[in-house]
Amino acid sequence: MNTRTVTEELTEVVLPGTVEPEGLQIRHGAVPTAGPGQVLIRTEATGVSFAEQQMRRGRYYDQPPFPFVPGYDLVGTVLATGEDVDPALAGQRVAALVKVGGWASHVLVEAADTVPVPDGIGAAEAETVVVNGITAWQMLHRKARVRAGQTILVHGANGGVGSVLVQLAQAAGVKVIGTASARHHDALRERGVSPVDYRTGDIPAQVRALAPGGVDAVFDHVGGRGITDSWRLLAPGGTLVSYGSAATRDDAGSKQWPVFKLLARIWLWNALPNRRSAYFFNVWAGRAFSKPRFRSRLRTDLTHVFTAVTRGEVTPQIAATFPLTAAPEAIRLAESGTAAGKVILTP
Ligand SMILES: NC(=O)c1ccc[n+]([C@@H]2O[C@H](COP(=O)([O-])OP(=O)(O)OC[C@H]3O[C@@H](n4cnc5c(N)ncnc54)[C@H](OP(=O)(O)O)[C@@H]3O)[C@@H](O)[C@H]2O)c1
């Protein structure tokens, strides 16, 4: 055990209930002690994901009861190690996926859930590809299993997950059609993406004009009625990966219902005789079935993503950086629809 005394103070952001961003609270306290199997991480960067935008509305389908500290992922340095943890981990920069709890200056994480960040990648840069990168990688390579020469449709191609997905796909030799608001189209064209405006016009017609035989995979975080178009746009042998329900973010009613509806549709489509397949992907879900498999895939896949960053295949996109205590401004910016890339919080 690394017994270095920690004389710092804990600062964390608390989501007390369903609140506007200004309702987030700052709490100070004692830095926790790493227990058996755990490491204490001093956070260097965390960020705003779509999940926090849904959680503050009480709309994330498996969020914990209020109050809690949000924050899906983080990058930081191991400050102390608990019993049964290799003390050599102390001082290393690591990334972790935590689902909640990341918006804190110090976070306890199971050592087995950390992934080393290679030298040469800064904390904020690494943070842009933790939940976004692992989600993009696993959907591309574990679900759709894309191959060079294929064409895919990425909804929200300029978003946090979407922009990493686009770059990883291109690195694999895949052509990308991407939906986005018109203001992002020039940037997408510069990156070699064929843009489609999801706000105006007929999305399926625009995609068919670009890929008359259909696309090999669709990555859909929007859900709602449009998921049926995503399914119909698949070429024979194609794969739909549904991974969110952004269309229902502001709806009232059950937060689980939109996901159940997606799951039911996917089940039905897979049951019908056809040559296409559909999945609902959740980056955290596999943890409930097998922690060792989840951890091993997290480590392998996130390491692939970091390698892609090191090689210049993926360029980290930081929209803005705020101090942790400015989380309300950070979440407002993330929700404004004007940010390009990840909004970062630094304690
Ligand atoms: N299942 C999982 O494991 C998992 C993991 C991570 C994220 N997610 C989901 O992934 C989604 C994106 O997260 P993020 O952090 O990347 O969010 P983000 O950075 O805020 O990006 C959201 C993107 O969605 C686009 N968008 C919004 N409405 C759209 C619509 N109707 N059609 C097409 N695009 C639309 C926006 O496009 P414009 O800016 O061009 O308007 C933006 O590019 C969220 O729904 C989140 O819940 C799921």
PDB file of all heavy atoms in Angstrom, residues 49-51 53-54 131-132 135 155-162 179-181 183-184 198-199 221-222 243-246 281-284 334 337, ligand 1:
ATOM      1  N   SER A  49     -20.602  15.025 -20.935  1.00  0.00           N
ATOM      2  CA  SER A  49     -21.123  14.096 -21.936  1.00  0.00           C
ATOM      3  C   SER A  49     -22.617  14.355 -22.085  1.00  0.00           C
ATOM      4  O   SER A  49     -23.220  15.034 -21.248  1.00  0.00           O
ATOM      5  CB  SER A  49     -20.969  12.641 -21.507  1.00  0.00           C
ATOM      6  OG  SER A  49     -19.707  12.406 -21.023  1.00  0.00           O
ATOM      7  N   PHE A  50     -23.179  13.743 -23.085  1.00  0.00           N
ATOM      8  CA  PHE A  50     -24.622  13.863 -23.263  1.00  0.00           C
ATOM      9  C   PHE A  50     -25.352  13.258 -22.054  1.00  0.00           C
ATOM     10  O   PHE A  50     -26.419  13.710 -21.671  1.00  0.00           O
ATOM     11  CB  PHE A  50     -25.033  13.148 -24.556  1.00  0.00           C
ATOM     12  CG  PHE A  50     -26.344  13.596 -25.091  1.00  0.00           C
ATOM     13  CD1 PHE A  50     -26.445  14.749 -25.851  1.00  0.00           C
ATOM     14  CD2 PHE A  50     -27.496  12.870 -24.842  1.00  0.00           C
ATOM     15  CE1 PHE A  50     -27.664  15.167 -26.344  1.00  0.00           C
ATOM     16  CE2 PHE A  50     -28.714  13.275 -25.330  1.00  0.00           C
ATOM     17  CZ  PHE A  50     -28.801  14.425 -26.084  1.00  0.00           C
ATOM     18  N   ALA A  51     -24.715  12.252 -21.444  1.00  0.00           N
ATOM     19  CA  ALA A  51     -25.338  11.591 -20.290  1.00  0.00           C
ATOM     20  C   ALA A  51     -25.663  12.595 -19.182  1.00  0.00           C
ATOM     21  O   ALA A  51     -26.749  12.545 -18.585  1.00  0.00           O
ATOM     22  CB  ALA A  51     -24.402  10.505 -19.761  1.00  0.00           C
ATOM     23  N   GLN A  53     -26.230  15.713 -19.523  1.00  0.00           N
ATOM     24  CA  GLN A  53     -27.312  16.591 -19.973  1.00  0.00           C
ATOM     25  C   GLN A  53     -28.657  15.907 -19.716  1.00  0.00           C
ATOM     26  O   GLN A  53     -29.644  16.545 -19.375  1.00  0.00           O
ATOM     27  CB  GLN A  53     -27.161  16.901 -21.460  1.00  0.00           C
ATOM     28  CG  GLN A  53     -25.818  17.519 -21.808  1.00  0.00           C
ATOM     29  CD  GLN A  53     -25.652  17.694 -23.310  1.00  0.00           C
ATOM     30  OE1 GLN A  53     -26.624  17.851 -24.036  1.00  0.00           O
ATOM     31  NE2 GLN A  53     -24.417  17.689 -23.778  1.00  0.00           N
ATOM     32  N   GLN A  54     -28.681  14.579 -19.890  1.00  0.00           N
ATOM     33  CA  GLN A  54     -29.924  13.848 -19.623  1.00  0.00           C
ATOM     34  C   GLN A  54     -30.141  13.678 -18.119  1.00  0.00           C
ATOM     35  O   GLN A  54     -31.255  13.789 -17.629  1.00  0.00           O
ATOM     36  CB  GLN A  54     -29.861  12.474 -20.294  1.00  0.00           C
ATOM     37  CG  GLN A  54     -29.923  12.566 -21.812  1.00  0.00           C
ATOM     38  CD  GLN A  54     -29.680  11.211 -22.466  1.00  0.00           C
ATOM     39  OE1 GLN A  54     -28.641  10.604 -22.257  1.00  0.00           O
ATOM     40  NE2 GLN A  54     -30.614  10.759 -23.259  1.00  0.00           N
ATOM     41  N   VAL A 131     -14.915   8.175 -22.799  1.00  0.00           N
ATOM     42  CA  VAL A 131     -16.213   7.539 -23.094  1.00  0.00           C
ATOM     43  C   VAL A 131     -16.532   7.648 -24.593  1.00  0.00           C
ATOM     44  O   VAL A 131     -17.043   6.695 -25.201  1.00  0.00           O
ATOM     45  CB  VAL A 131     -17.367   8.095 -22.214  1.00  0.00           C
ATOM     46  CG1 VAL A 131     -17.631   9.559 -22.436  1.00  0.00           C
ATOM     47  CG2 VAL A 131     -18.638   7.308 -22.475  1.00  0.00           C
ATOM     48  N   ASN A 132     -16.176   8.782 -25.196  1.00  0.00           N
ATOM     49  CA  ASN A 132     -16.488   8.932 -26.625  1.00  0.00           C
ATOM     50  C   ASN A 132     -15.681   7.951 -27.479  1.00  0.00           C
ATOM     51  O   ASN A 132     -16.200   7.368 -28.431  1.00  0.00           O
ATOM     52  CB  ASN A 132     -16.188  10.360 -27.084  1.00  0.00           C
ATOM     53  CG  ASN A 132     -17.156  11.366 -26.486  1.00  0.00           C
ATOM     54  OD1 ASN A 132     -18.191  10.982 -25.944  1.00  0.00           O
ATOM     55  ND2 ASN A 132     -16.832  12.638 -26.578  1.00  0.00           N
ATOM     56  N   THR A 135     -16.706   4.169 -26.829  1.00  0.00           N
ATOM     57  CA  THR A 135     -18.021   3.924 -27.443  1.00  0.00           C
ATOM     58  C   THR A 135     -17.863   3.786 -28.959  1.00  0.00           C
ATOM     59  O   THR A 135     -18.372   2.845 -29.579  1.00  0.00           O
ATOM     60  CB  THR A 135     -18.982   5.091 -27.107  1.00  0.00           C
ATOM     61  OG1 THR A 135     -19.098   5.171 -25.693  1.00  0.00           O
ATOM     62  CG2 THR A 135     -20.352   4.906 -27.716  1.00  0.00           C
ATOM     63  N   HIS A 155     -24.864   9.415 -37.592  1.00  0.00           N
ATOM     64  CA  HIS A 155     -25.691  10.551 -37.164  1.00  0.00           C
ATOM     65  C   HIS A 155     -24.892  11.378 -36.158  1.00  0.00           C
ATOM     66  O   HIS A 155     -24.141  10.829 -35.334  1.00  0.00           O
ATOM     67  CB  HIS A 155     -26.985  10.048 -36.517  1.00  0.00           C
ATOM     68  CG  HIS A 155     -27.981   9.545 -37.523  1.00  0.00           C
ATOM     69  ND1 HIS A 155     -28.548  10.374 -38.461  1.00  0.00           N
ATOM     70  CD2 HIS A 155     -28.492   8.309 -37.744  1.00  0.00           C
ATOM     71  CE1 HIS A 155     -29.380   9.675 -39.215  1.00  0.00           C
ATOM     72  NE2 HIS A 155     -29.355   8.408 -38.810  1.00  0.00           N
ATOM     73  N   GLY A 156     -25.071  12.697 -36.224  1.00  0.00           N
ATOM     74  CA  GLY A 156     -24.339  13.565 -35.296  1.00  0.00           C
ATOM     75  C   GLY A 156     -22.842  13.459 -35.510  1.00  0.00           C
ATOM     76  O   GLY A 156     -22.065  13.329 -34.558  1.00  0.00           O
ATOM     77  N   ALA A 157     -22.432  13.548 -36.784  1.00  0.00           N
ATOM     78  CA  ALA A 157     -21.024  13.282 -37.134  1.00  0.00           C
ATOM     79  C   ALA A 157     -20.061  14.301 -36.541  1.00  0.00           C
ATOM     80  O   ALA A 157     -18.861  14.070 -36.494  1.00  0.00           O
ATOM     81  CB  ALA A 157     -20.871  13.233 -38.652  1.00  0.00           C
ATOM     82  N   ASN A 158     -20.595  15.429 -36.088  1.00  0.00           N
ATOM     83  CA  ASN A 158     -19.722  16.445 -35.500  1.00  0.00           C
ATOM     84  C   ASN A 158     -19.710  16.380 -33.971  1.00  0.00           C
ATOM     85  O   ASN A 158     -18.983  17.125 -33.315  1.00  0.00           O
ATOM     86  CB  ASN A 158     -20.199  17.837 -35.945  1.00  0.00           C
ATOM     87  CG  ASN A 158     -19.179  18.897 -35.635  1.00  0.00           C
ATOM     88  OD1 ASN A 158     -18.122  18.908 -36.246  1.00  0.00           O
ATOM     89  ND2 ASN A 158     -19.474  19.750 -34.666  1.00  0.00           N
ATOM     90  N   GLY A 159     -20.516  15.502 -33.399  1.00  0.00           N
ATOM     91  CA  GLY A 159     -20.620  15.440 -31.933  1.00  0.00           C
ATOM     92  C   GLY A 159     -19.424  14.743 -31.301  1.00  0.00           C
ATOM     93  O   GLY A 159     -18.481  14.338 -31.990  1.00  0.00           O
ATOM     94  N   GLY A 160     -19.474  14.620 -29.991  1.00  0.00           N
ATOM     95  CA  GLY A 160     -18.360  14.028 -29.254  1.00  0.00           C
ATOM     96  C   GLY A 160     -18.070  12.610 -29.702  1.00  0.00           C
ATOM     97  O   GLY A 160     -16.948  12.278 -30.097  1.00  0.00           O
ATOM     98  N   VAL A 161     -19.076  11.738 -29.657  1.00  0.00           N
ATOM     99  CA  VAL A 161     -18.885  10.361 -30.101  1.00  0.00           C
ATOM    100  C   VAL A 161     -18.737  10.335 -31.623  1.00  0.00           C
ATOM    101  O   VAL A 161     -17.833   9.691 -32.176  1.00  0.00           O
ATOM    102  CB  VAL A 161     -20.078   9.459 -29.686  1.00  0.00           C
ATOM    103  CG1 VAL A 161     -19.918   8.059 -30.249  1.00  0.00           C
ATOM    104  CG2 VAL A 161     -20.222   9.415 -28.175  1.00  0.00           C
ATOM    105  N   GLY A 162     -19.633  11.079 -32.311  1.00  0.00           N
ATOM    106  CA  GLY A 162     -19.666  11.045 -33.771  1.00  0.00           C
ATOM    107  C   GLY A 162     -18.338  11.420 -34.405  1.00  0.00           C
ATOM    108  O   GLY A 162     -17.875  10.753 -35.333  1.00  0.00           O
ATOM    109  N   THR A 179     -24.699  12.951 -40.673  1.00  0.00           N
ATOM    110  CA  THR A 179     -25.721  13.980 -40.463  1.00  0.00           C
ATOM    111  C   THR A 179     -25.202  14.984 -39.443  1.00  0.00           C
ATOM    112  O   THR A 179     -24.485  14.624 -38.497  1.00  0.00           O
ATOM    113  CB  THR A 179     -27.066  13.391 -39.969  1.00  0.00           C
ATOM    114  OG1 THR A 179     -26.879  12.837 -38.670  1.00  0.00           O
ATOM    115  CG2 THR A 179     -27.602  12.329 -40.911  1.00  0.00           C
ATOM    116  N   ALA A 180     -25.573  16.246 -39.657  1.00  0.00           N
ATOM    117  CA  ALA A 180     -25.175  17.325 -38.739  1.00  0.00           C
ATOM    118  C   ALA A 180     -25.962  18.566 -39.112  1.00  0.00           C
ATOM    119  O   ALA A 180     -26.511  18.654 -40.220  1.00  0.00           O
ATOM    120  CB  ALA A 180     -23.676  17.609 -38.877  1.00  0.00           C
ATOM    121  N   SER A 181     -25.994  19.530 -38.206  1.00  0.00           N
ATOM    122  CA  SER A 181     -26.566  20.837 -38.541  1.00  0.00           C
ATOM    123  C   SER A 181     -25.703  21.467 -39.630  1.00  0.00           C
ATOM    124  O   SER A 181     -24.485  21.227 -39.681  1.00  0.00           O
ATOM    125  CB  SER A 181     -26.542  21.756 -37.324  1.00  0.00           C
ATOM    126  OG  SER A 181     -27.289  21.197 -36.282  1.00  0.00           O
ATOM    127  N   ARG A 183     -24.351  24.235 -39.999  1.00  0.00           N
ATOM    128  CA  ARG A 183     -23.167  25.035 -39.630  1.00  0.00           C
ATOM    129  C   ARG A 183     -21.899  24.180 -39.510  1.00  0.00           C
ATOM    130  O   ARG A 183     -20.795  24.709 -39.515  1.00  0.00           O
ATOM    131  CB  ARG A 183     -23.416  25.809 -38.335  1.00  0.00           C
ATOM    132  CG  ARG A 183     -23.608  24.940 -37.119  1.00  0.00           C
ATOM    133  CD  ARG A 183     -23.770  25.772 -35.848  1.00  0.00           C
ATOM    134  NE  ARG A 183     -24.107  24.910 -34.734  1.00  0.00           N
ATOM    135  CZ  ARG A 183     -25.323  24.485 -34.454  1.00  0.00           C
ATOM    136  NH1 ARG A 183     -26.344  24.852 -35.202  1.00  0.00           N
ATOM    137  NH2 ARG A 183     -25.551  23.678 -33.424  1.00  0.00           N
ATOM    138  N   HIS A 184     -22.064  22.870 -39.400  1.00  0.00           N
ATOM    139  CA  HIS A 184     -20.887  22.000 -39.286  1.00  0.00           C
ATOM    140  C   HIS A 184     -20.460  21.404 -40.624  1.00  0.00           C
ATOM    141  O   HIS A 184     -19.476  20.666 -40.687  1.00  0.00           O
ATOM    142  CB  HIS A 184     -21.171  20.833 -38.328  1.00  0.00           C
ATOM    143  CG  HIS A 184     -21.497  21.256 -36.927  1.00  0.00           C
ATOM    144  ND1 HIS A 184     -20.697  22.096 -36.208  1.00  0.00           N
ATOM    145  CD2 HIS A 184     -22.542  20.940 -36.119  1.00  0.00           C
ATOM    146  CE1 HIS A 184     -21.231  22.294 -35.009  1.00  0.00           C
ATOM    147  NE2 HIS A 184     -22.351  21.615 -34.942  1.00  0.00           N
ATOM    148  N   TYR A 198     -29.620  17.198 -40.947  1.00  0.00           N
ATOM    149  CA  TYR A 198     -30.728  16.456 -40.332  1.00  0.00           C
ATOM    150  C   TYR A 198     -31.892  17.367 -39.948  1.00  0.00           C
ATOM    151  O   TYR A 198     -32.960  16.909 -39.588  1.00  0.00           O
ATOM    152  CB  TYR A 198     -30.252  15.662 -39.107  1.00  0.00           C
ATOM    153  CG  TYR A 198     -29.930  16.494 -37.885  1.00  0.00           C
ATOM    154  CD1 TYR A 198     -30.924  16.925 -37.017  1.00  0.00           C
ATOM    155  CD2 TYR A 198     -28.614  16.827 -37.583  1.00  0.00           C
ATOM    156  CE1 TYR A 198     -30.621  17.679 -35.896  1.00  0.00           C
ATOM    157  CE2 TYR A 198     -28.303  17.576 -36.473  1.00  0.00           C
ATOM    158  CZ  TYR A 198     -29.316  18.007 -35.626  1.00  0.00           C
ATOM    159  OH  TYR A 198     -29.017  18.756 -34.530  1.00  0.00           O
ATOM    160  N   ARG A 199     -31.647  18.688 -40.008  1.00  0.00           N
ATOM    161  CA  ARG A 199     -32.700  19.607 -39.567  1.00  0.00           C
ATOM    162  C   ARG A 199     -33.679  19.947 -40.680  1.00  0.00           C
ATOM    163  O   ARG A 199     -34.813  20.328 -40.419  1.00  0.00           O
ATOM    164  CB  ARG A 199     -32.083  20.902 -39.034  1.00  0.00           C
ATOM    165  CG  ARG A 199     -31.350  20.687 -37.710  1.00  0.00           C
ATOM    166  CD  ARG A 199     -30.722  21.968 -37.235  1.00  0.00           C
ATOM    167  NE  ARG A 199     -29.891  21.750 -36.071  1.00  0.00           N
ATOM    168  CZ  ARG A 199     -30.314  21.872 -34.816  1.00  0.00           C
ATOM    169  NH1 ARG A 199     -31.551  22.212 -34.566  1.00  0.00           N
ATOM    170  NH2 ARG A 199     -29.485  21.646 -33.811  1.00  0.00           N
ATOM    171  N   HIS A 221     -27.751   7.669 -32.587  1.00  0.00           N
ATOM    172  CA  HIS A 221     -27.937   8.020 -31.171  1.00  0.00           C
ATOM    173  C   HIS A 221     -29.215   8.825 -30.986  1.00  0.00           C
ATOM    174  O   HIS A 221     -29.474   9.322 -29.901  1.00  0.00           O
ATOM    175  CB  HIS A 221     -26.756   8.875 -30.692  1.00  0.00           C
ATOM    176  CG  HIS A 221     -26.733  10.231 -31.334  1.00  0.00           C
ATOM    177  ND1 HIS A 221     -26.528  10.398 -32.681  1.00  0.00           N
ATOM    178  CD2 HIS A 221     -26.941  11.475 -30.832  1.00  0.00           C
ATOM    179  CE1 HIS A 221     -26.582  11.696 -32.969  1.00  0.00           C
ATOM    180  NE2 HIS A 221     -26.831  12.368 -31.862  1.00  0.00           N
ATOM    181  N   VAL A 222     -29.987   8.956 -32.052  1.00  0.00           N
ATOM    182  CA  VAL A 222     -31.146   9.849 -32.018  1.00  0.00           C
ATOM    183  C   VAL A 222     -32.401   9.105 -31.573  1.00  0.00           C
ATOM    184  O   VAL A 222     -33.199   9.610 -30.784  1.00  0.00           O
ATOM    185  CB  VAL A 222     -31.367  10.509 -33.406  1.00  0.00           C
ATOM    186  CG1 VAL A 222     -32.493  11.534 -33.320  1.00  0.00           C
ATOM    187  CG2 VAL A 222     -30.095  11.152 -33.925  1.00  0.00           C
ATOM    188  N   TYR A 243     -27.617   3.644 -30.227  1.00  0.00           N
ATOM    189  CA  TYR A 243     -26.903   3.801 -28.941  1.00  0.00           C
ATOM    190  C   TYR A 243     -27.373   4.995 -28.131  1.00  0.00           C
ATOM    191  O   TYR A 243     -26.674   5.439 -27.217  1.00  0.00           O
ATOM    192  CB  TYR A 243     -25.388   3.850 -29.168  1.00  0.00           C
ATOM    193  CG  TYR A 243     -24.830   5.068 -29.879  1.00  0.00           C
ATOM    194  CD1 TYR A 243     -24.122   6.035 -29.187  1.00  0.00           C
ATOM    195  CD2 TYR A 243     -24.987   5.230 -31.247  1.00  0.00           C
ATOM    196  CE1 TYR A 243     -23.578   7.146 -29.825  1.00  0.00           C
ATOM    197  CE2 TYR A 243     -24.462   6.335 -31.899  1.00  0.00           C
ATOM    198  CZ  TYR A 243     -23.753   7.279 -31.179  1.00  0.00           C
ATOM    199  OH  TYR A 243     -23.218   8.378 -31.819  1.00  0.00           O
ATOM    200  N   GLY A 244     -28.561   5.483 -28.419  1.00  0.00           N
ATOM    201  CA  GLY A 244     -29.069   6.583 -27.622  1.00  0.00           C
ATOM    202  C   GLY A 244     -30.451   6.984 -28.088  1.00  0.00           C
ATOM    203  O   GLY A 244     -30.989   6.434 -29.057  1.00  0.00           O
ATOM    204  N   SER A 245     -30.993   7.940 -27.349  1.00  0.00           N
ATOM    205  CA  SER A 245     -32.344   8.392 -27.647  1.00  0.00           C
ATOM    206  C   SER A 245     -32.402   9.909 -27.488  1.00  0.00           C
ATOM    207  O   SER A 245     -33.230  10.446 -26.767  1.00  0.00           O
ATOM    208  CB  SER A 245     -33.313   7.690 -26.679  1.00  0.00           C
ATOM    209  OG  SER A 245     -34.621   8.076 -26.939  1.00  0.00           O
ATOM    210  N   ALA A 246     -31.485  10.589 -28.199  1.00  0.00           N
ATOM    211  CA  ALA A 246     -31.395  12.048 -28.061  1.00  0.00           C
ATOM    212  C   ALA A 246     -32.718  12.721 -28.420  1.00  0.00           C
ATOM    213  O   ALA A 246     -33.040  13.770 -27.866  1.00  0.00           O
ATOM    214  CB  ALA A 246     -30.273  12.571 -28.955  1.00  0.00           C
ATOM    215  N   PHE A 281     -26.440  -0.584 -28.301  1.00  0.00           N
ATOM    216  CA  PHE A 281     -25.134  -0.596 -27.639  1.00  0.00           C
ATOM    217  C   PHE A 281     -25.165   0.305 -26.416  1.00  0.00           C
ATOM    218  O   PHE A 281     -25.649   1.434 -26.472  1.00  0.00           O
ATOM    219  CB  PHE A 281     -24.050  -0.091 -28.614  1.00  0.00           C
ATOM    220  CG  PHE A 281     -22.692  -0.004 -27.969  1.00  0.00           C
ATOM    221  CD1 PHE A 281     -21.877  -1.124 -27.891  1.00  0.00           C
ATOM    222  CD2 PHE A 281     -22.241   1.185 -27.406  1.00  0.00           C
ATOM    223  CE1 PHE A 281     -20.631  -1.051 -27.275  1.00  0.00           C
ATOM    224  CE2 PHE A 281     -20.998   1.263 -26.788  1.00  0.00           C
ATOM    225  CZ  PHE A 281     -20.196   0.137 -26.728  1.00  0.00           C
ATOM    226  N   ASN A 282     -24.628  -0.210 -25.319  1.00  0.00           N
ATOM    227  CA  ASN A 282     -24.375   0.634 -24.152  1.00  0.00           C
ATOM    228  C   ASN A 282     -23.002   0.299 -23.617  1.00  0.00           C
ATOM    229  O   ASN A 282     -22.711  -0.861 -23.320  1.00  0.00           O
ATOM    230  CB  ASN A 282     -25.434   0.431 -23.060  1.00  0.00           C
ATOM    231  CG  ASN A 282     -25.137   1.322 -21.866  1.00  0.00           C
ATOM    232  OD1 ASN A 282     -24.323   0.995 -21.016  1.00  0.00           O
ATOM    233  ND2 ASN A 282     -25.768   2.463 -21.825  1.00  0.00           N
ATOM    234  N   VAL A 283     -22.169   1.321 -23.510  1.00  0.00           N
ATOM    235  CA  VAL A 283     -20.767   1.104 -23.172  1.00  0.00           C
ATOM    236  C   VAL A 283     -20.590   0.490 -21.781  1.00  0.00           C
ATOM    237  O   VAL A 283     -19.607  -0.187 -21.516  1.00  0.00           O
ATOM    238  CB  VAL A 283     -19.992   2.442 -23.310  1.00  0.00           C
ATOM    239  CG1 VAL A 283     -20.377   3.428 -22.223  1.00  0.00           C
ATOM    240  CG2 VAL A 283     -18.500   2.244 -23.357  1.00  0.00           C
ATOM    241  N   TRP A 284     -21.550   0.712 -20.899  1.00  0.00           N
ATOM    242  CA  TRP A 284     -21.423   0.286 -19.506  1.00  0.00           C
ATOM    243  C   TRP A 284     -22.076  -1.074 -19.271  1.00  0.00           C
ATOM    244  O   TRP A 284     -21.758  -1.770 -18.306  1.00  0.00           O
ATOM    245  CB  TRP A 284     -22.094   1.343 -18.612  1.00  0.00           C
ATOM    246  CG  TRP A 284     -21.826   1.213 -17.160  1.00  0.00           C
ATOM    247  CD1 TRP A 284     -22.690   0.706 -16.217  1.00  0.00           C
ATOM    248  CD2 TRP A 284     -20.637   1.570 -16.445  1.00  0.00           C
ATOM    249  NE1 TRP A 284     -22.103   0.738 -14.985  1.00  0.00           N
ATOM    250  CE2 TRP A 284     -20.848   1.268 -15.097  1.00  0.00           C
ATOM    251  CE3 TRP A 284     -19.412   2.121 -16.824  1.00  0.00           C
ATOM    252  CZ2 TRP A 284     -19.879   1.487 -14.114  1.00  0.00           C
ATOM    253  CZ3 TRP A 284     -18.453   2.346 -15.860  1.00  0.00           C
ATOM    254  CH2 TRP A 284     -18.689   2.030 -14.524  1.00  0.00           C
ATOM    255  N   ALA A 334     -22.270  23.007 -23.470  1.00  0.00           N
ATOM    256  CA  ALA A 334     -22.435  21.695 -24.114  1.00  0.00           C
ATOM    257  C   ALA A 334     -23.853  21.542 -24.665  1.00  0.00           C
ATOM    258  O   ALA A 334     -24.061  20.938 -25.706  1.00  0.00           O
ATOM    259  CB  ALA A 334     -22.117  20.590 -23.125  1.00  0.00           C
ATOM    260  N   GLY A 337     -25.539  23.445 -28.334  1.00  0.00           N
ATOM    261  CA  GLY A 337     -25.497  22.965 -29.722  1.00  0.00           C
ATOM    262  C   GLY A 337     -24.488  23.734 -30.554  1.00  0.00           C
ATOM    263  O   GLY A 337     -24.390  23.526 -31.755  1.00  0.00           O
TER     264      GLY A 337
HETATM  265  N1  LIG B   1     -24.818   3.983 -25.527  1.00  0.00           N
HETATM  266  C1  LIG B   1     -23.671   4.411 -25.075  1.00  0.00           C
HETATM  267  O1  LIG B   1     -22.896   3.665 -24.505  1.00  0.00           O
HETATM  268  C2  LIG B   1     -23.308   5.843 -25.274  1.00  0.00           C
HETATM  269  C3  LIG B   1     -22.068   6.328 -24.887  1.00  0.00           C
HETATM  270  C4  LIG B   1     -21.776   7.669 -25.144  1.00  0.00           C
HETATM  271  C5  LIG B   1     -22.738   8.490 -25.716  1.00  0.00           C
HETATM  272  N2  LIG B   1     -23.952   7.961 -26.032  1.00  0.00           N
HETATM  273  C6  LIG B   1     -24.978   8.780 -26.664  1.00  0.00           C
HETATM  274  O2  LIG B   1     -24.405   9.399 -27.784  1.00  0.00           O
HETATM  275  C7  LIG B   1     -25.092  10.583 -28.044  1.00  0.00           C
HETATM  276  C8  LIG B   1     -24.101  11.673 -28.367  1.00  0.00           C
HETATM  277  O3  LIG B   1     -23.327  11.974 -27.220  1.00  0.00           O
HETATM  278  P1  LIG B   1     -22.190  13.062 -27.320  1.00  0.00           P
HETATM  279  O4  LIG B   1     -21.573  13.143 -25.975  1.00  0.00           O
HETATM  280  O5  LIG B   1     -21.396  12.790 -28.508  1.00  0.00           O
HETATM  281  O6  LIG B   1     -23.086  14.368 -27.534  1.00  0.00           O
HETATM  282  P2  LIG B   1     -22.703  15.754 -28.204  1.00  0.00           P
HETATM  283  O7  LIG B   1     -21.239  15.954 -28.280  1.00  0.00           O
HETATM  284  O8  LIG B   1     -23.564  16.761 -27.521  1.00  0.00           O
HETATM  285  O9  LIG B   1     -23.205  15.578 -29.703  1.00  0.00           O
HETATM  286  C9  LIG B   1     -24.546  15.438 -29.985  1.00  0.00           C
HETATM  287  C10 LIG B   1     -24.645  15.396 -31.484  1.00  0.00           C
HETATM  288  O10 LIG B   1     -25.978  15.035 -31.803  1.00  0.00           O
HETATM  289  C11 LIG B   1     -26.334  15.745 -32.949  1.00  0.00           C
HETATM  290  N3  LIG B   1     -27.788  15.703 -33.042  1.00  0.00           N
HETATM  291  C12 LIG B   1     -28.699  16.209 -32.180  1.00  0.00           C
HETATM  292  N4  LIG B   1     -29.934  15.923 -32.630  1.00  0.00           N
HETATM  293  C13 LIG B   1     -29.781  15.213 -33.774  1.00  0.00           C
HETATM  294  C14 LIG B   1     -30.677  14.630 -34.717  1.00  0.00           C
HETATM  295  N5  LIG B   1     -32.002  14.737 -34.547  1.00  0.00           N
HETATM  296  N6  LIG B   1     -30.164  13.959 -35.776  1.00  0.00           N
HETATM  297  C15 LIG B   1     -28.833  13.866 -35.953  1.00  0.00           C
HETATM  298  N7  LIG B   1     -27.928  14.391 -35.104  1.00  0.00           N
HETATM  299  C16 LIG B   1     -28.411  15.057 -34.039  1.00  0.00           C
HETATM  300  C17 LIG B   1     -25.717  17.094 -32.793  1.00  0.00           C
HETATM  301  O11 LIG B   1     -25.529  17.633 -34.066  1.00  0.00           O
HETATM  302  P3  LIG B   1     -25.362  19.198 -34.388  1.00  0.00           P
HETATM  303  O12 LIG B   1     -24.426  19.790 -33.372  1.00  0.00           O
HETATM  304  O13 LIG B   1     -24.801  19.180 -35.756  1.00  0.00           O
HETATM  305  O14 LIG B   1     -26.741  19.797 -34.313  1.00  0.00           O
HETATM  306  C18 LIG B   1     -24.369  16.716 -32.161  1.00  0.00           C
HETATM  307  O15 LIG B   1     -23.422  16.458 -33.171  1.00  0.00           O
HETATM  308  C19 LIG B   1     -26.016  10.840 -26.857  1.00  0.00           C
HETATM  309  O16 LIG B   1     -27.329  10.491 -27.216  1.00  0.00           O
HETATM  310  C20 LIG B   1     -25.488   9.903 -25.809  1.00  0.00           C
HETATM  311  O17 LIG B   1     -26.480   9.496 -24.909  1.00  0.00           O
HETATM  312  C21 LIG B   1     -24.247   6.677 -25.829  1.00  0.00           C
END
